[in-house]
Each structure stands twice: as structure tokens, then as C-alpha cells.
Amino acid sequence: MATGDKLIEVRDLKKYYNRGAIKALDGISVDINRGDVAVVIGPSGSGKSTFLRSLNLMEEPTGGSIVFDGVDITKKKVPDGSGKLVRLDIDRHRQKMGMVFQHFNLFPHMTILQNMTLAPVQVRHMPQAQAEEKANQLLKRVGLGDRAGAYPIQLSGGQKQRIAIVRALMMEPEVMLFDEPTSALDPEMVGEVLDVMKELAHEGMTMVVVTHEMGFAREVGNRVLFMADGRLLEQNEPHALFDHPQHPRLKDFLSKVL
Amino acid sequence: MEHFIQAENFGKIAPYLTLFWQGTAVTVLMSLFTVVIGFLLALLLATMRLSRFCPLAFLGVDKEGRLRDGGVLLAVSRFNPLAFLATAYVEILRSTPVLVQVFIIYYGVFGALVTLPKFTVLGFIKFERFVPGIVALGMNSGAYLCEIIRSGIQSIDGGQTEASRSLGMTQMQTMRFIILPQAIKNILPAIANEFVVIIKESAITYTIGVQDIMSAVNAVRGATFIIIEPLLVATAIYFCLCFPTSKIIAYFERRMSRGDRR
């Protein structure tokens, strides 16, 4: 599914706290190609989430660059079509990057349908009826066609996360970022969320997934990135990485989680 | 020894009932104006306190265009004059007695700086005393409401903002569709409480000659030398204003929270 066509180009990405005393990201360089399912693994505190959250600027990096669709989104000003410097419109780029959070972050004061149609209607000016039709189709696909009128509190964790995924899909993103999407779920609900993600991967969606689900990484990922101490220590296709780890930190990590 | 309350005294003050009705109208009108002024002021103040307006931000960036790691320049670059002014206002208003504020507004601002035309509205509202009253009370409750609104907005989980922004919504859209609807629901009990406080606190404006309920008590005392019974009437009126108000808002609070329950 991977095309070799670069979608996100990350160069020497750095994120420091406390005057550089804490280096959450210490120079990460990686390319995400269209159609990639890149799974980021590593011990906690290794900077996986910070890396993922930097990709759509939920965290502002201290240094380095992120070129998304040909635009360096870490710059405050970027050249427009005619080469004139204009203020970077981060909201426009975020529309193209769907994000799924560990704690779902559904909007509790809205029904499922409202959760899904708000952004397409407000941001993309899609007619309400069209947005609702699209939302209902997506809900059916994830097996929640009958819950459109429910409020988030009425759903289980697994259902909430499936809603969060389709809510992001409503914006028709070019890439989906998953920040530990199954870590807050009861074990019996992990499968239903991973199934939705798997289906998405098979459809060719570009995905960057931070997870502790090694099975998912091995089965669905076409690349696995291993991070520790804010650095990208090893990356490979999953079978090579899991079966023949090179870096001692990776060997140590795998011996603990597998 | 005389009785504390004498039934015939109620009969004696009955002719002055109109004063109480007029006083009640003044108190209610004054509270409504005050809460509107206070709420608008509070919205402005809370926006100022939560703003990210830093005119010296350029000092925090080094020659290569990166944020400095620390130091005096970084601290100076984060100075937000809007937030500073709003915070100073709130702290000063909350740390001084409301009676002092009412006197300063009435004798100071409207006594020396601004001259209001003298006329009466509806035949019993003295404009030149009513306006300083609502301005002073509004300024005072604005400070309290600002803190209520600010804490309400800040109490919304940061994940809500992140989810909204990740969908491409702007900061304004996030505020309007995601943060404020949830924040208002959370702060409604506190705002209702503040409105009830304003009704009661408005009694203080009788000291600058606003003819509210307390002023009616005073007028009746002057004419009849009876004090306890008019006070009891005033107490009953205040209770009848405040108690239903808090109950009505509690009803709406329950209705709005339907999304939170199964």
C-alpha cells in the first residue's frame, strides 16, 4: 500500500522543556509516505506521544521542521502561491490531519451526530443534511448506526473511540494520527477499535499510530519506529524489527513486552 | 415590657405600602441592570485575562527565530498588559468594601467628573442616583463574575480544545461551540448565586439615596417611628425575590445537564 510518495517529512525535530534540561524530542528525522501505516513503539516517556502531537502542532516544537504537503508547518510564515510570505494557517493543515486521542475527547454536550457534523459544517461549510448523511454512513460502517442520537456518556469506551475515529474521518483527512487509541480501554473493547483501524489501513489510509499493541504493529503496520529518550533508535518493516532487533535498547524493550 | 412585634403596627404602616412596591421595583430593576453591566464587564475582563496578547513577544525569540530557553527577556516577552490590567481591576475591586466603591462612584465620579441630568423615571426612580448605583454595583459584580467565568472556562478539560482544534476549528469556533456551552453549564449555579447576591447587595445603595426597599423602610420609620415591622416587610420581600430566583435557575441547570446522565 505504501507508495513512496512523501506526505510528511520530519527533519531534526526537537522539543525541549526547562531550558533544554528535558529533551522530549532530541532530533527526530523520518519520512511518512502516502499509504504508510507507521507504528511508533517505545517505553513510556520516550517521546512517542510528543512526536505524534508535534505532527499537527498540538505541541510546538523547539527546533527542526515538519514539511506536510510541501509546506513547513513549523514556520510562522510561509510563501504562498506567488512566493509572498503569508501567515501560516495551521487550522487549514489540521483539517487534513485527523487525530484520535487516548481519552476519546468526544464533546459531551452534543449527540454523536452533532459531534460528527460540527466540524464539516462549520469549517468546510458542508450542508447539514449532507453532513448527517455522511455521518450516518460512517456510523453504519463501524456498527453504530443506531446510536446517532445518543450522548457520549451513554456509550462504552470502545464505542466512544470508534466514534472518535469516524468523527475525524468526517473531515476526509490525508493522514490519521492515533495517540494510544486503546490504552484507556477495557481489554475486551480493544479488539473492536483495532478492527476499525485495520479496516482503515486496508483502505489505504495513511496512519501514524502510537501504541502498545505489538500484535497490531506486527500485523497491520508496514513500518515500525522504535523510540527511546526522545530519539528514533531503529525503524524497519515489522517482521525484521520484531524478529531481528539490532539496537540493545530495542532488544531490551522487546524482551519486556513480548 | 413591650412586645417585640405588635400587630397593630402593621396596620399603622399599611398606608405606606406604595413605598414598598416602588422600592421593590427599584431593587429588581437595579439588580437586572447590574447583572447585565456586570456580566458584560466580566466577559470583557475574562477575555482580557485569558488573552495571549504579548506586545513584547519579539524579545523572547533569539536571532535564529527560536524561542529562548529562559532568562529575563523570556519573562518580559510573556508580559500581557491586558491580563495585568484585568487582574489588577479584579483584585482591587474584590479587596475593598462595596460601600466604599459606591461612595467613590457617587460622590467622586458622578459628583465631580460626570454630571447627570436630574429627573425621575416612572415617577419614583431618581435617575441621578439610580445610575451611579447600578454603575458601582455593576463594576463590583463584574469583578466577581469575571473570576467565575474564567474558572469556568479553565475547568473544561484541555482535551476538548485539542479535539476541536485537531478537526481544524479555529480558536473562536472552539470557544463558541465547545468551550462556552460546557463552561456556561458549569458556572450557572455560581452566576445564579451572584445574581441573588446582587439583589441583596443592592440594599447598600440606599446610602446614596436610591429609593429601593431599604429606603422605604427608612421613610416609614421617619414618618411613624416604627422600625421592626417595616424591616420584617422588607425581609419578606427580599426573601420572595431571592428564593424563587435561585430555584428557577436551579431548574434550568437540571434541564441543561441532560447530556451528562444516562
Side-chain angles (χ1 to χ4, degrees):
Chain A
M1 213 77 74
T3 56
D5 173 15
K6 277 181 204 167
L7 181 62
I8 310 176
E9 215 179 307
V10 181
R11 287 291 170 274
D12 199 28
L13 192 66
K14 290 179 180 136
K15 174 72 182 178
Y16 294 170
Y17 294 102
N18 295 349
R19 300 181 178 214
I22 298 165
K23 296 178 175 169
L25 295 178
D26 196 9
I28 304 272
S29 297
V30 68
D31 290 337
I32 308 290
N33 301 322
R34 276 182 206 279
D36 264 354
V37 178
V39 183
V40 187
I41 60 169
S44 53
S46 59
K48 309 184 294 288
S49 282
T50 310
F51 166 69
L52 190 82
R53 292 160 52 78
S54 299
L55 292 181
N56 65 350
L57 254 54
M58 285 289 141
E59 303 279 353
E60 199 154 327
T62 318
S65 65
I66 301 166
V67 179
F68 173 63
D69 259 354
V71 179
D72 184 354
I73 57 172
T74 61
K75 297 278 181 294
K76 298 278 177 225
K77 295 203 163 168
V78 290
D80 66 358
S82 59
K84 211 177 74 185
L85 278 183
V86 292
R87 216 169 133 261
L88 176 88
D89 183 4
I90 186 61
D91 299 317
R92 233 188 61 225
H93 294 282
R94 281 179 179 153
Q95 289 173 36
K96 296 186 264 177
M97 304 172 125
M99 190 167 208
V100 176
F101 302 86
Q102 183 176 356
H103 296 288
F104 330 128
N105 296 344
L106 296 182
F107 307 132
H109 59 301
M110 295 180 178
T111 63
I112 299 312
L113 199 65
Q114 289 166 338
N115 262 277
M116 293 177 68
T117 56
L118 179 69
V121 171
Q122 293 302 330
V123 178
R124 297 197 130 181
H125 309 292
M126 190 188 274
Q128 181 70 31
Q130 193 188 332
E132 285 181 11
E133 195 192 316
K134 191 175 162 67
N136 280 318
Q137 280 171 7
L138 280 167
L139 283 173
K140 267 191 210 107
R141 262 183 50 190
V142 295
L144 293 168
D146 54 338
R147 306 313 305 270
Y151 282 91
I153 190 102
Q154 298 169 297
L155 304 180
S156 72
Q159 290 175 326
K160 279 186 207 167
Q161 197 61 300
R162 283 186 277 160
I163 300 293
I165 294 172
V166 288
R167 179 177 71 178
L169 289 178
M170 285 292 288
M171 296 299 285
E172 293 170 348
E174 293 180 28
V175 56
M176 287 283 283
L177 311 175
F178 292 85
D179 189 4
E180 304 204 22
T182 58
S183 298
L185 296 176
D186 291 339
E188 78 268 25
M189 292 170 184
V190 171
E192 64 192 60
V193 171
L194 291 182
D195 284 344
V196 172
M197 291 168 64
K198 230 178 270 179
E199 203 190 309
L200 208 54
H202 289 314
E203 283 166 17
M205 174 62 79
T206 311
M207 293 162 64
V208 184
V209 185
V210 170
T211 188
H212 294 292
E213 295 291 331
M214 296 302 147
F216 179 85
R218 190 189 276 265
E219 194 189 331
V220 185
N222 70 323
R223 300 165 62 189
V224 180
L225 317 178
F226 173 70
M227 283 182 66
D229 304 328
R231 272 183 245 254
L232 183 59
L233 294 185
E234 192 164 337
Q235 57 167 316
N236 213 331
E237 58 97 15
H239 293 282
L241 185 124
F242 284 112
D243 299 336
H244 308 287
Q246 304 297 316
H247 200 282
R249 290 292 300 270
L250 176 58
K251 285 179 187 166
D252 178 52
F253 176 72
L254 290 179
S255 72
K256 283 173 186 156
V257 297
L258 289 182
Chain B
M1 172 134 179
E2 281 189 83
H3 290 290
F4 176 58
I5 302 166
Q6 293 173 312
E8 67 264 30
N9 278 351
F10 284 109
K12 285 182 197 160
I13 65 169
Y16 301 95
L17 204 61
T18 324
L19 282 183
F20 281 103
W21 284 125
Q22 291 175 348
T24 307
V26 170
T27 294
V28 169
L29 279 175
M30 193 154 58
S31 304
L32 286 175
F33 277 112
T34 298
V35 89
V36 170
I37 293 173
F39 190 71
L40 293 178
L41 180 63
L43 275 182
L44 177 71
L45 289 168
T47 311
M48 285 167 74
R49 285 200 72 165
L50 295 171
S51 70
R52 296 207 193 93
F53 172 70
C54 300
L56 301 175
F58 66 91
L59 290 174
V61 181
D62 62 19
K63 286 188 199 107
E64 286 146 33
R66 297 274 172 224
L67 209 60
R68 286 179 206 281
D69 283 340
V72 179
L73 282 176
L74 184 71
V76 172
S77 77
R78 291 203 176 133
F79 175 71
N80 179 342
L82 294 180
F84 177 80
L85 283 177
T87 308
Y89 177 89
V90 167
E91 295 305 339
I92 291 170
L93 270 282
R94 292 205 305 175
S95 309
T96 49
V98 63
L99 183 62
V100 174
Q101 293 163 16
V102 169
F103 275 18
I104 287 177
I105 295 297
Y106 180 66
Y107 294 108
V109 176
F110 287 99
L113 299 176
V114 185
T115 311
L116 290 170
K118 289 187 181 182
F119 63 93
T120 56
V121 183
L122 301 174
F124 57 88
I125 301 174
K126 287 185 184 165
F127 184 76
E128 77 279 8
R129 294 175 189 272
F130 187 79
V131 169
I134 58 173
V135 168
L137 287 178
M139 286 175 67
N140 179 271
S141 75
Y144 285 93
L145 284 169
C146 165
E147 289 305 276
I148 293 172
I149 292 172
R150 185 181 63 90
S151 65
I153 288 172
Q154 287 181 335
S155 71
I156 304 300
D157 177 32
Q160 294 287 309
T161 306
E162 287 188 355
S164 173
R165 298 302 301 273
S166 80
L167 289 165
M169 291 207 278
T170 62
Q171 205 175 345
M172 286 292 284
Q173 288 172 324
T174 302
M175 214 23 137
R176 178 172 155 209
F177 296 110
I178 308 302
I179 307 300
L180 281 184
Q182 296 185 61
I184 286 172
K185 199 172 72 185
N186 287 355
I187 63 185
L188 210 60
I191 289 184
N193 188 43
E194 178 64 17
F195 184 56
V196 170
V197 167
I198 289 170
I199 293 177
K200 292 183 287 179
E201 221 164 53
S202 68
I204 212 162
T205 56
Y206 111 91
T207 56
I208 57 167
V210 177
Q211 293 182 311
D212 71 336
I213 299 171
M214 268 316 283
S215 145
V217 172
N218 222 30
V220 172
R221 186 182 67 171
T224 63
F225 303 106
I226 302 169
I227 179 65
I228 294 298
E229 288 77 6
L231 275 175
L232 287 176
V233 173
T235 306
I237 295 173
Y238 278 118
F239 181 81
C240 291
L241 290 178
C242 294
F243 184 68
T245 306
S246 53
K247 289 294 155 196
I248 288 167
I249 298 179
Y251 167 75
F252 282 108
E253 192 194 323
R254 276 197 304 277
R255 265 191 49 173
M256 280 180 78
S257 66
R258 66 180 185 273
D260 294 347
R261 280 195 307 269
R262 272 168 199 271

